[in-house]
């Protein structure tokens, strides 16, 4: 399945039945693409309206409550890294809404959400 970006850096199988792929788009903004996972077929269906990220998403996780998708995002221009949080859209199942962002150390390489 095409993931919608030039470099899929991280994949998350979410508790909501979707698979999220954090894609790098080169020098442009990255994205988190959502795929509906249908186990009866089995198949993946790419959903429209990906969540926009910084230019190089490098890690993705879901919090233990199933309320947030958490992202590490490296900025190739500034060399900084952000920790971003997304919530699940209340109207459209599977879509993500940006919620918050903060700075991290200079070289994080992974993110993990502990149950």
């Amino acid at each position: 399945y095409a993931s919608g970006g030039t470099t899929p850096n991280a994949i998350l199988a979410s508790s909501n039945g979707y698979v999220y792929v954090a894609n790098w788009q080169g020098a442009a903004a990255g994205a988190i693409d959502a795929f509906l996972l249908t186990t009866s077929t089995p198949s993946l269906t790419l959903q429209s309206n990906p969540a926009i990220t910084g230019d190089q998403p490098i890690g993705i996780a879901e919090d233990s409550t199933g309320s947030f998708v958490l992202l590490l995002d490296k900025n190739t221009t500034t060399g900084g890294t952000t920790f971003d949080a997304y919530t699940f859209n209340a109207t459209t199942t599977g879509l993500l809404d940006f919620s918050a962002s903060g700075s991290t150390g200079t070289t994080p390489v992974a993110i993990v959400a502990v149950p």
Side-chain angles (χ1 to χ4, degrees):
Y1 293 90
S3 66
T6 59
T7 307
N9 287 340
I11 298 171
L12 168 68
S14 177
S15 62
N16 68 356
Y18 282 78
V19 175
Y20 294 95
V21 179
N23 285 296
W24 186 23
Q25 307 283 348
I32 301 172
D33 291 297
F35 290 85
L36 175 61
L37 175 61
T38 306
T39 56
S40 61
T41 325
S43 65
L44 291 170
T45 305
L46 179 63
Q47 306 299 294
S48 59
N49 301 320
I52 303 304
T53 70
D55 61 358
Q56 190 178 5
I58 56 176
I60 190 170
E62 182 177 6
D63 79 311
S64 64
T65 67
S67 301
F68 295 94
V69 169
L70 309 169
L71 181 79
L72 271 180
D73 190 15
K74 185 183 247 181
N75 186 316
T76 56
T77 305
T78 66
T81 305
T82 59
F83 173 70
D84 301 328
Y86 296 82
T87 56
F88 296 101
N89 186 286
T91 307
T92 306
T93 305
L95 293 183
L96 298 174
D97 295 324
F98 179 79
S99 178
S101 184
S103 294
T104 68
T106 57
T107 56
V109 295
I111 187 171
V112 177
V114 178

